[in-house]
Amino acid sequence: MIVPHRADGHATGRATLAFVRALIAFVLLLAAGCSAGTTAAPPSTTPSAALRVDVLQKVPHDRKAFTQGFELVDGVLYEGTGLEGRSSIRTVDPETGRVTKQVDLPPDLFGEGITVVGDDIWQITWQDGVAILRDRKTLAEKKRVDYDGEGWGICHDQHRLIMSDGSDHLTFRNLDTFAAEGGVDVRTSDNKPVTQINELECVPDKDGHTQVWANIWQTDRIVRIDPANGHVTATVDLAGLLPATDRAGADVLNGIAHIPGTDEFLVTGKLWPTMFRVRFVTSAP
């Protein structure tokens, strides 16, 4: 019988140890890479609140407006509209629905969500990969920034932009450069992904924490999302908000604008003849 040299045993042991260490390092690196930039919070154990809509007022809305972004700041309603050849950014009187100023996008761009940041407005596009920074007063274009993927909705929490792309993911972006800076996956209380997230509205709660209200495309639902962990904390049922008599030619619900200093919102839809001042409530009608 041939007995192996001791050195061979040591070499084998060192090789095995090195392999194990390399394998552990690879697994750790892979795990880090999979989670980098995205919050993966544990499932929520609290069921989301079921809310209904209480209509307080009806205001006329431009029936030709394919509403994609909706935000009320300092008494001015800013609206972004979509479709190639029909996309625009406009200011609207929230009391009358009258369009007070409008700037059209180039006909090859499909406009999507908007958000007001100080003296500027960010406007995103659907599949063009272009974000436009505009002067808030004149609506004139100041610069463009390219980004990857689709653009659907956008809002901000004073510190970062929060953007949807139609998936179950919200991307955080730099307020000034538009660079992506992480994000969060959106989940229900039973840990199911929430897809088709469309127009967004960032609203601080009573404790000062931002909550994101989001239209879910092709539904009559708006959900409230905690951007800190992606949990859906409330669902609003707006079925029947637009009467059947007004539905001819109308498209889906889309457009949420919080009325600052209140618990009220303006909501509308693509090609809707009406916008509604509403409150989201839990009590029975």
Side-chain angles (χ1 to χ4, degrees):
M1 182 177 67
I2 300 174
V3 179
H5 195 278
R6 287 174 59 106
D8 292 343
H10 289 168
T12 301
R14 284 195 298 269
T16 301
L17 181 59
F19 173 78
V20 171
R21 285 174 174 170
L23 181 61
I24 292 173
F26 174 77
V27 171
L28 291 175
L29 181 62
L30 183 63
C34 290
S35 61
T38 298
T39 300
S44 172
T45 57
T46 305
S48 63
L51 306 179
R52 67 173 182 85
V53 63
D54 183 17
V55 177
L56 307 175
Q57 182 185 7
K58 298 179 181 180
V59 180
H61 179 249
D62 180 6
R63 187 145 205 172
K64 297 179 181 179
F66 196 79
T67 305
Q68 303 285 60
F70 218 49
E71 198 164 293
L72 184 63
V73 181
D74 296 333
V76 178
L77 180 62
Y78 296 87
E79 183 173 16
T81 69
L83 299 176
E84 290 185 353
R86 291 172 55 183
S87 296
S88 69
I89 178 79
R90 53 179 65 183
T91 57
V92 179
D93 183 338
E95 297 296 328
T96 66
R98 183 175 67 89
V99 177
T100 56
K101 186 178 295 183
Q102 177 172 323
V103 173
D104 294 332
L105 274 69
D108 59 328
L109 294 183
F110 192 122
E112 284 284 346
I114 63 166
T115 192
V116 177
V117 182
D119 294 329
D120 297 321
I121 302 173
W122 279 109
Q123 182 175 26
I124 57 177
T125 54
W126 180 31
Q127 296 179 322
D128 305 293
V130 174
I132 302 171
L133 185 68
R134 298 183 177 277
D135 180 86
R136 176 180 166 188
K137 184 176 181 181
T138 65
L139 305 183
E141 182 177 326
K142 297 174 66 174
K143 70 173 182 179
R144 295 188 182 188
V145 177
D146 294 335
Y147 61 87
D148 294 328
E150 295 186 359
W152 287 41
I154 192 167
C155 64
H156 72 90
D157 63 0
Q158 306 299 326
H159 305 291
R160 61 189 177 182
L161 298 165
I162 302 175
M163 177 174 156
S164 65
D165 60 7
S167 70
D168 62 343
H169 187 73
L170 296 178
T171 300
F172 304 144
R173 294 185 176 275
N174 186 279
L175 281 173
D176 301 315
T177 68
F178 210 76
E181 298 178 343
V184 67
D185 295 330
V186 179
R187 297 289 183 267
T188 62
S189 57
D190 53 356
N191 204 34
K192 293 180 179 179
V194 179
T195 60
Q196 308 283 54
I197 300 173
N198 203 356
E199 209 268 327
L200 306 178
E201 181 76 353
C202 290
V203 182
D205 61 20
K206 62 182 180 180
D207 298 319
H209 302 130
T210 294
Q211 301 295 307
V212 178
W213 295 86
N215 282 110
I216 304 301
W217 187 49
Q218 293 186 322
T219 77
D220 291 317
R221 290 183 290 117
I222 290 174
V223 298
R224 185 180 65 201
I225 304 164
D226 184 346
N229 51 35
H231 294 164
V232 171
T233 59
T235 300
V236 190
D237 181 5
L238 292 91
L241 178 63
L242 186 67
T245 52
D246 292 335
R247 284 202 166 270
D251 207 290
V252 296
L253 176 76
N254 202 48
I256 320 163
H258 176 242
I259 301 176
T262 75
D263 60 351
E264 300 171 5
F265 295 81
L266 287 174
V267 297
T268 192
K270 305 170 190 274
L271 310 178
W272 281 26
T274 309
M275 53 184 172
F276 301 85
R277 183 168 65 90
V278 302
R279 185 180 291 120
F280 302 145
V281 296
T282 56
S283 59

